[in-house]
Amino acid sequence: MPIRQLSETMINQIAAGEVIERPASVVKELVENALDAGASRVEIVTAGGGLNLIRVTDDGSGIPQPELSLAIARHCTSKLADNIHDIRSLGFRGEALPSIGSVARLSIRSRTATGDAAAEIGIEGGRVSAVKPAAANRGTTVEVRDLFFATPARLKFMKGERAESSATSDVVKRIAIAFPAVRFTLAGSDRSTLELPATDDSAEGSLRRVAQVMGAEFPDNSIAIDASRDGVHLTGHVSIPSFTRANALQQYAYVNGRPVRDKLIAGAIRGAFADVLPRDRHAVTVLFLTLDPATVDVNVHPAKADVRFRDPGLVRGLIVGAIREALANAGIRAATSGAAGMMAAFRPGAASYAHAGPANGHRSYDAAYRPSGSGGFDPSRSPQRPLDMGHGEARAQRNGFADNDQAAFDAGPLASADARAGSAEAAETLLGTALGAARAQVHENYIVAQTRDSLVIVDQHAAHERLVYEALKNALHSRAVPSQMLLLPEIVDLPEEDAERLALHSETLARFGLGIERFGPGAVAVRETPSMLGETNVQQLVRDLADEIADNDTVETLKERLDKIAATMACHGSVRSGRLLKPEEMNALLRQMEATPGSGTCNHGRPTYIELKLADIERLFGRR
């Protein structure tokens, strides 16, 4: 077949394959156009998951009638001057409208603030109709019907209406977070209405918009971020370690106001939370990066969701450092969801209260602690009784205690505040601390503490595990990591560029106990490895490091391996479940937790304590 020029319609349909992937892509492009036009109100209506109808209405500046025909022409835009490196708008390629019009039935009706009337233009499967007068208020209405009717093969790859509607909702929410002063409405016959009222551009207004999108509980379980380095400014909020999600869908990132899904930013978030979250849980984040447009390339892909930074190491280091510093400075905090879960467990009708009880709805003492499988108290399984009020059979329940444990029991749960804190004054002081004064140890693993306005339950093993881990990490990273010399150097063959990158980071690697040097072209010699690693696969370790340096210009892989070993050591060296603690030991553990960053979760990401406010307790008993 001879070489020939493709038709304009065919060119637009090819471009549509990259720009318009699904209905959510159409909504994204149209909403971005509305925001670039200065809209303060954006209304989106869909039907059939967006395949049947998408209508976006805004109150922006509008399109003058003579420019309507240019608006649907390929590579025509009002947002880009002569400098491709100075992009300050969301759109700039001039591809969205012609691409949509090549695969759907598109109409644009617009009126400027100074226009006497509105004008309308249509395009159906690439065929453009003439501009004609229309009636409309100031702003623009873009209507897309029968998406992909001109390319029916694409319809086979669309998901169900519910999935497409969900994707559209996610797009609108992502954009809305970056524009709190704009009112967004998403409605249609195939969905419940989503309304996001306008707030303002202040920090408080931005946080209110975040709460509208992510739920009211996020601000109460988040930490503010504000950091700068070498012209890059990072702001936003990240969740505390005990407030997580099962996926990363609620990790929102913005570069100069543009919503992005960038693997470098996602990797930096994972790295910052690496040792405070479980492996299968994800932090909730809203991060805004502001930097010189010339130092970031947003023209990587037509969808504009990917970006490339001129200095990726700087950006990654800023994100990781800022989040870790914020977590360290935030002090000890428990997620409000933990208290909510405890409240739900205590409420009548919860699983633990499902069996029949007295007519008044309350259970007797005997019923409350009758052995009932793994959920009930069984004296034969636990040598420590629950908090009983001095019943006569208490002596019989103490059988099995060693002599030294008996004294601990006698001075245990029912001792007075004076006995626990040493004096009334000391007890009053402890009540004012974050975790309060220890009052009891139940089931030989949980410390019950009291503050002035709450009840705190601490998992002693998980808490001490975090304390030991942080101490090991500080010792590990405050000085060079001890290394062991290999009897015979390990030669690792690598591509020339990987060997060069490793050589440039040799000093950093040496601090972590890995001694490497160049060994001719395309190879490195490993002479020392960290002692903590013991016998390890040196070849795989070096190749993993080379891959990470190529992607992120960091050597986090080696540090993470050492931290993992430290976490294992901490797990085996901490206070075990089942150990009875004296009051002073319990209070000492609480004070150490208050002074240790990240102690709200253990090394595996589980919460170390749960706090139940006095107001919540009173509601449980009907006092409020």
Side-chain angles (χ1 to χ4, degrees):
M1 182 180 293
I3 299 175
R4 62 187 179 89
Q5 176 71 46
L6 295 177
S7 67
E8 189 67 21
T9 299
M10 183 70 73
I11 292 173
N12 287 334
Q13 287 179 344
I14 292 173
E18 296 180 315
V19 180
I20 309 303
E21 300 175 354
R22 60 194 306 184
S25 304
V26 176
V27 173
K28 171 182 177 295
E29 298 293 342
L30 298 184
V31 171
E32 287 182 349
N33 284 343
L35 295 172
D36 285 338
S40 61
R41 174 180 53 81
V42 179
E43 298 177 356
I44 307 106
V45 176
T46 65
L51 293 172
N52 297 339
L53 169 68
I54 297 174
R55 183 188 301 120
V56 177
T57 304
D58 68 70
D59 60 351
S61 58
I63 305 173
Q65 178 176 340
E67 297 180 8
L68 274 176
S69 57
L70 284 176
I72 58 174
R74 186 171 169 81
H75 299 318
C76 293
T77 181
S78 62
K79 307 169 188 177
L80 188 62
D82 296 329
N83 186 3
I84 188 66
H85 303 295
D86 189 24
I87 298 174
R88 300 180 182 274
S89 58
L90 295 175
F92 60 90
R93 295 173 62 97
E95 288 184 318
L97 292 178
S99 296
I100 297 169
S102 69
V103 297
R105 296 180 172 91
L106 171 69
S107 67
I108 305 174
R109 185 167 61 254
S110 187
R111 178 180 179 180
T112 62
T114 58
D116 295 331
E120 183 176 2
I121 191 172
I123 177 172
E124 182 175 326
R127 296 187 298 273
V128 181
S129 62
V131 178
K132 59 183 180 182
N137 295 325
R138 174 181 177 269
T140 302
T141 298
V142 181
E143 189 172 283
V144 180
R145 292 185 178 272
D146 301 328
L147 185 62
F148 298 128
F149 89 94
T151 54
R154 292 295 299 275
L155 291 173
K156 298 178 182 178
F157 297 93
M158 295 298 105
K159 299 180 180 179
E161 289 188 13
R162 184 183 298 273
E164 297 299 339
S165 296
S166 177
T168 299
S169 179
D170 180 64
V171 164
V172 174
K173 290 176 180 178
R174 283 185 179 274
I175 297 176
I177 287 177
F179 295 87
V182 178
R183 178 179 180 269
F184 291 86
T185 303
L186 175 61
S189 59
D190 57 342
R191 63 165 62 251
S192 58
T193 301
L194 170 68
E195 291 191 15
L196 301 174
T199 58
D200 55 68
D201 289 325
S202 66
E204 293 78 9
S206 179
L207 190 57
R208 287 199 299 272
R209 170 55 58 84
V210 169
Q212 291 173 4
V213 172
M214 306 177 68
E217 61 182 1
F218 176 69
D220 296 331
N221 294 279
S222 66
I223 306 168
I225 302 289
D226 192 343
S228 297
R229 185 185 300 173
D230 296 341
V232 182
H233 188 202
L234 176 68
T235 59
H237 287 77
V238 298
S239 62
I240 60 177
S242 53
F243 185 84
T244 60
R245 291 290 183 266
N247 55 49
L249 292 179
Q250 287 203 337
Q251 290 183 356
Y252 298 92
Y254 303 85
V255 176
N256 290 339
R258 180 188 305 280
V260 298
R261 292 181 181 271
D262 184 72
K263 68 175 184 177
L264 182 142
I265 296 176
I269 294 172
R270 285 196 305 271
F273 285 91
D275 60 354
V276 296
L277 294 185
R279 182 170 299 179
D280 57 344
R281 303 296 293 181
H282 300 267
V284 182
T285 63
V286 180
L287 296 177
F288 299 90
L289 277 167
T290 306
L291 65 166
D292 186 347
T295 63
V296 57
D297 183 8
V298 299
N299 193 28
V300 177
H301 188 273
K304 305 184 292 294
D306 298 326
V307 295
R308 294 292 182 271
F309 298 99
R310 179 180 296 178
D311 190 348
L314 169 64
V315 174
R316 189 184 193 281
L318 174 62
I319 295 174
V320 174
I323 292 177
R324 288 181 175 174
E325 182 179 0
L327 293 175
N329 294 338
I332 185 166
R333 290 175 58 184
T336 58
S337 56
M342 184 186 295
M343 291 277 290
F346 280 131
R347 285 194 182 98
S352 60
Y353 287 80
H355 64 275
N360 61 5
H362 297 282
R363 300 188 299 166
S364 66
Y365 177 85
D366 291 338
Y369 294 107
R370 183 183 298 120
S372 55
S374 59
F377 174 76
D378 185 351
S380 66
R381 288 188 289 106
S382 175
Q384 184 166 341
R385 61 189 176 118
L387 291 178
D388 79 54
M389 297 294 105
H391 287 259
E393 66 273 15
R395 283 285 172 192
Q397 295 180 348
R398 302 186 199 182
N399 292 338
F401 277 78
D403 292 340
N404 56 335
D405 291 334
Q406 185 65 52
F409 183 89
D410 290 336
L414 301 180
S416 66
D418 291 351
R420 296 197 171 281
S423 67
E425 294 78 8
E428 184 64 25
T429 301
L430 292 182
L431 291 177
T433 59
L435 296 180
R439 289 291 186 247
Q441 181 192 23
V442 295
H443 294 294
E444 302 159 310
N445 188 50
Y446 300 101
I447 299 172
V448 179
Q450 174 192 350
T451 71
R452 289 197 175 97
D453 63 350
S454 65
L455 175 74
V456 179
I457 302 177
V458 178
D459 183 331
Q460 67 186 39
H461 172 67
H464 196 244
E465 184 178 349
R466 167 60 68 177
L467 301 180
V468 175
Y469 176 49
E470 292 298 328
L472 285 173
K473 278 204 310 180
N474 291 336
L476 188 63
H477 302 306
S478 61
R479 54 184 173 80
V481 175
S483 62
Q484 60 183 6
M485 183 167 293
L486 300 180
L487 185 61
L488 294 175
E490 185 93 23
I491 308 302
V492 184
D493 293 321
L494 297 164
E496 177 64 26
E497 56 271 19
D498 285 346
E500 182 64 27
R501 294 188 191 103
L502 285 168
L504 291 174
H505 287 78
S506 59
E507 291 187 8
T508 303
L509 292 172
R511 287 195 296 106
F512 289 112
L514 185 66
I516 66 170
E517 60 185 39
R518 291 298 298 269
F519 192 78
V524 296
V526 180
R527 300 188 179 277
E528 296 176 321
T529 60
S531 300
M532 291 178 64
L533 292 182
E535 294 185 12
T536 186
N537 188 335
V538 176
Q539 298 272 346
Q540 189 61 48
L541 173 61
V542 171
R543 289 193 173 90
D544 288 347
L545 287 169
D547 291 341
E548 183 176 13
I549 293 172
D551 285 342
N552 304 317
D553 197 32
T554 65
V555 291
E556 288 294 310
T557 295
L558 184 57
K559 179 178 178 295
E560 289 172 0
R561 290 197 183 190
L562 296 176
D563 285 348
K564 186 176 181 180
I565 293 173
T568 302
M569 296 169 61
C571 185
H572 291 283
S574 56
V575 172
R576 308 307 298 173
S577 300
R579 174 182 166 185
L580 287 171
L581 300 180
K582 298 178 180 179
E584 53 269 25
E585 291 177 320
M586 290 188 282
N587 280 311
L589 181 64
L590 299 181
R591 305 291 80 77
Q592 291 180 41
M593 290 177 63
E594 293 167 349
T596 302
S599 60
T601 59
C602 74
N603 312 340
H604 312 293
R606 296 190 299 270
T608 58
Y609 76 99
I610 295 174
E611 183 177 17
L612 190 61
K613 293 295 184 181
L614 180 60
D616 294 330
I617 300 174
E618 291 176 337
R619 276 195 291 271
L620 285 173
F621 288 96
R623 291 178 176 269
R624 289 200 177 196

